């Protein structure tokens, strides 16, 4: 007879299945676990595994206490599963502690090799999440100790775990990838390879060249590094028109000529429109013209090119071809300031005003190559709604 933690007394008899009169020996600890942890059953006898054998457990009530009844086998399995999970977490934490201690002592090579060994062991056991989390924490640890090469290697393993596990794209995972990117050496080839694979993994139906959220996070990092050229590229493939405008204001103020303040935003608006992103095109224009210190409040504006862009955005909303045609004719002098403007406008005319594609040599020459790079897969989808279906490499000269 064993007394459980609830104060109810039970008599535990364990017998072989089909042989109710032949008891199996059972340690007192096992009996105590059964009576203490599972004082209620749904049947007078429940089938469980004890000591590696199939058996029946008969809990007979003693005294005047009635016995409520949940399923014993399921409860025991759940208890064992929770114990196993706790053991796994404890094991991972102990391993991480040892690895951290090695890094703290300066045993970088040994720790790096151990991280790699554990990664492939976890992956072979299909423990993709554990492998990813261990590599992510390890990469951050190596970065904090100035071990960029080891950190970059573990960062690539983070991506490998994502690719092989087919993990769903989440904001948390995108932020982790952006964090690793921000800590890498800006001039390292590993960073280029990392961002390429990260964008490819992040597509998940959100865009052919990467998730807009990841593009936004990358753009912000590059902006902080004052790498305005590449930051602009990633902003164009995000949905953050306001962030793009703020970056362009800083870019223009710190690197551009005063006479070109209008050209910075004009190019961005035209490229957003070529990517069928009307909303971001409008936001970047409004924010830029409001915040740039060298632009007087408008519209109308002092700079003719800004007035053209303002009218163009209105024309895109209206969708009238005659308005678009007259607008382009009237502002030809301003549009000649950059040979790419008319190329962009040809594409915008096709997307928003129904103009047929040019019949002559499909944008020949160097400028044509640049424009084709901008358009990318745009010819595959003629929808005019905002989106990133046409996301493709863009030259941002």
């Amino acid at each position: 007879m064993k007394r459980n933690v609830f104060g109810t007394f039970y008599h535990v008899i364990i017998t072989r299945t089909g042989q109710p009169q032949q008891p199996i020996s059972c340690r007192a600890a096992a009996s105590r676990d059964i009576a203490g942890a599972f004082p209620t059953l749904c049947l007078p006898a429940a089938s469980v595994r004890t000591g590696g054998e199939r058996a029946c457990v008969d809990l007979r009530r003693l005294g005047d206490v009635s016995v409520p009844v949940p399923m014993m086998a399921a409860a025991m399995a759940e208890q064992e599963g929770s114990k196993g999970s706790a053991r796994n977490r404890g094991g991972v934490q102990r391993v991480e502690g040892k690895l951290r201690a090695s890094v703290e002592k300066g045993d970088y090579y040994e720790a790096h090799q151990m991280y790699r060994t554990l990664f492939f062991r976890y992956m072979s056991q299909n423990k993709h999440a554990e492998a990813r989390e261990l590599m992510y924490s390890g990469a951050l640890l190596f970065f904090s100790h100035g071990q960029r090469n080891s950190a970059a290697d573990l960062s690539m393993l983070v991506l490998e775990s994502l690719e092989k596990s087919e993990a769903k794209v989440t904001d948390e995972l995108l932020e982790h990838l952006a964090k690793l990117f921000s800590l890498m050496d800006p001039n390292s080839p590993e960073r280029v390879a990392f961002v390429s694979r990260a964008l490819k993994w992040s597509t998940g139906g959100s865009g052919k060249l990467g998730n807009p959220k990841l593009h936004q996070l990358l753009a912000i990092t590059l902006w902080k590094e004052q790498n305005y050229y590449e930051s602009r590229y990633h902003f164009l493939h995000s949905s953050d028109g306001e962030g793009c405008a703020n970056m362009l204001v800083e870019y223009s103020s710190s690197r551009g000529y005063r006479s070109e303040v209008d050209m910075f935003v004009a190019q961005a608006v035209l490229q957003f429109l070529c990517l069928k992103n009307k909303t971001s095109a409008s936001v970047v224009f409004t924010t830029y013209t409001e915040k740039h210190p060298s632009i007087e409040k408008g519209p109308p504006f002092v700079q003719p090119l800004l007035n053209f862009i303002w009218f163009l955005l209105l024309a895109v909303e209206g969708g009238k071809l005659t308005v678009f045609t007259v607008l382009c004719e009237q502002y030809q002098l301003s549009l000649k300031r950059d040979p790419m403007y008319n190329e962009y406008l040809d594409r915008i005319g096709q997307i928003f005003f129904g103009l047929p594609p040019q019949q002559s040599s499909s944008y020949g020459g160097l400028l044509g190559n640049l424009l084709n790079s901008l358009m990318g897969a745009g010819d595959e989808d003629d929808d005019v709604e905002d989106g990133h279906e046409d996301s493709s490499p863009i030259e941002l000269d």
Side-chain angles (χ1 to χ4, degrees):
M1 183 178 297
K2 300 296 174 181
R3 191 180 193 280
N4 70 11
V5 294
F6 300 96
T8 305
F9 287 87
Y10 299 95
H11 184 63
V12 181
I13 302 174
I14 303 181
T15 59
R16 295 184 188 277
T17 304
Q19 303 176 34
Q21 301 305 318
Q22 299 180 25
I24 299 173
S25 62
C26 180
R27 296 193 308 272
S31 299
R32 181 172 64 251
D33 290 343
I34 294 172
F38 307 101
T40 58
L41 296 174
C42 65
L43 294 172
S47 180
V48 298
R49 288 189 181 275
T50 304
E53 298 190 56
R54 194 70 178 175
C56 286
V57 179
D58 183 13
L59 298 192
R60 299 179 182 175
R61 180 176 62 83
L62 296 182
D64 296 323
V65 182
S66 60
V67 184
V69 278
M71 286 298 290
M72 182 177 209
M76 289 184 72
E78 181 179 354
Q79 185 187 51
E80 288 302 314
S82 63
K83 287 181 179 179
S85 177
R87 284 195 297 269
N88 288 338
R89 287 195 300 272
V92 171
Q93 290 173 354
R94 285 193 297 274
V95 169
E96 284 184 323
K98 292 179 180 179
L99 291 170
R100 182 174 293 276
S102 294
V103 174
E104 297 290 348
K105 289 189 299 182
D107 297 333
Y108 302 124
Y109 178 80
E110 179 182 347
H112 183 194
Q113 295 307 310
M114 183 57 68
Y115 270 111
R116 290 182 61 85
T117 299
L118 289 171
F119 173 79
F120 291 111
R121 181 180 301 170
Y122 280 141
M123 292 296 287
S124 68
Q125 298 170 354
N126 291 324
K127 295 180 178 179
H128 301 121
E130 290 87 343
R132 180 177 68 249
E133 292 168 5
L134 184 62
M135 294 305 102
Y136 178 70
S137 63
L140 295 181
L141 182 60
F142 277 119
F143 275 127
S144 69
H145 285 77
Q147 301 299 305
R148 284 185 165 180
N149 289 336
S150 295
D153 180 61
L154 298 191
S155 298
M156 298 302 286
L157 293 181
V158 170
L159 279 175
E160 184 174 334
S161 70
L162 290 172
E163 293 163 348
K164 292 186 176 179
S165 66
E166 299 182 355
K168 292 183 178 180
V169 177
T170 65
D171 285 349
E172 181 181 14
L173 289 177
L174 295 178
E175 288 166 3
H176 283 181
L177 295 178
K179 176 69 173 178
L180 296 174
F181 173 82
S182 69
L183 295 172
M184 290 182 177
D185 180 357
N187 300 316
S188 67
E190 291 83 5
R191 196 189 211 196
V192 176
F194 178 84
V195 73
S196 176
R197 285 178 62 182
L199 287 169
K200 184 177 180 180
W201 168 79
S202 74
T203 50
S206 299
K208 294 179 181 178
L209 275 186
N211 185 288
K213 175 68 174 179
L214 181 57
H215 275 296
Q216 179 193 29
L217 296 171
L218 297 174
I220 292 172
T221 292
L222 293 163
W223 177 12
K224 291 177 180 177
E225 297 173 357
Q226 297 185 340
N227 187 343
Y228 302 113
Y229 181 87
E230 292 189 19
S231 176
R232 178 171 58 179
Y233 166 79
H234 289 290
F235 269 125
L236 282 170
H237 291 289
S238 75
S239 300
D240 187 5
E242 183 176 1
C244 182
N246 289 325
M247 182 277 296
L248 289 174
V249 170
E250 183 179 311
Y251 188 11
S252 169
S253 301
S254 61
R255 305 281 178 86
Y257 294 105
R258 185 181 177 87
S259 60
E260 296 178 345
V261 295
D262 51 350
M263 299 181 72
F264 278 82
V265 70
Q267 183 186 48
V269 170
L270 294 174
Q271 289 176 338
F272 270 126
L273 290 176
C274 286
L275 294 171
K276 303 181 182 180
N277 193 340
K278 293 189 297 183
T279 300
S280 293
S282 180
V283 171
V284 73
F285 178 76
T286 302
T287 305
Y288 182 91
T289 53
E290 288 178 351
K291 293 189 175 182
H292 200 293
S294 298
I295 295 178
E296 296 182 11
K297 187 176 181 180
F301 301 96
V302 174
Q303 297 89 343
L305 184 59
L306 293 182
N307 288 324
F308 169 77
I309 296 297
W310 174 46
F311 285 127
L312 175 64
L313 290 170
L314 294 176
V316 165
E317 289 298 328
K320 293 184 178 180
L321 178 57
T322 53
V323 175
F324 174 71
T325 303
V326 170
L327 184 61
C328 292
E329 291 174 353
Q330 292 297 317
Y331 282 91
Q332 271 301 305
L333 186 61
S334 294
L335 296 178
K336 288 180 180 179
R337 293 174 65 189
D338 187 333
M340 283 301 297
Y341 288 166
N342 282 322
E343 302 281 5
Y344 292 144
L345 289 168
D346 283 340
R347 178 60 177 166
I348 291 169
Q350 295 170 34
I351 295 172
F352 296 102
F353 300 98
L355 287 177
Q358 287 188 350
Q359 298 300 317
S360 60
S361 69
S362 175
Y363 304 128
L366 175 61
L367 295 180
N369 291 337
L370 295 178
L371 188 63
N372 287 330
S373 175
L374 169 63
M375 303 316 161
D379 294 334
E380 299 175 6
D381 184 358
D382 293 330
D383 294 337
V384 185
E385 297 181 4
D386 290 353
H388 303 272
E389 293 86 352
D390 299 340
S391 295
S392 52
I394 299 177
E395 285 291 341
L396 302 176
D397 292 335

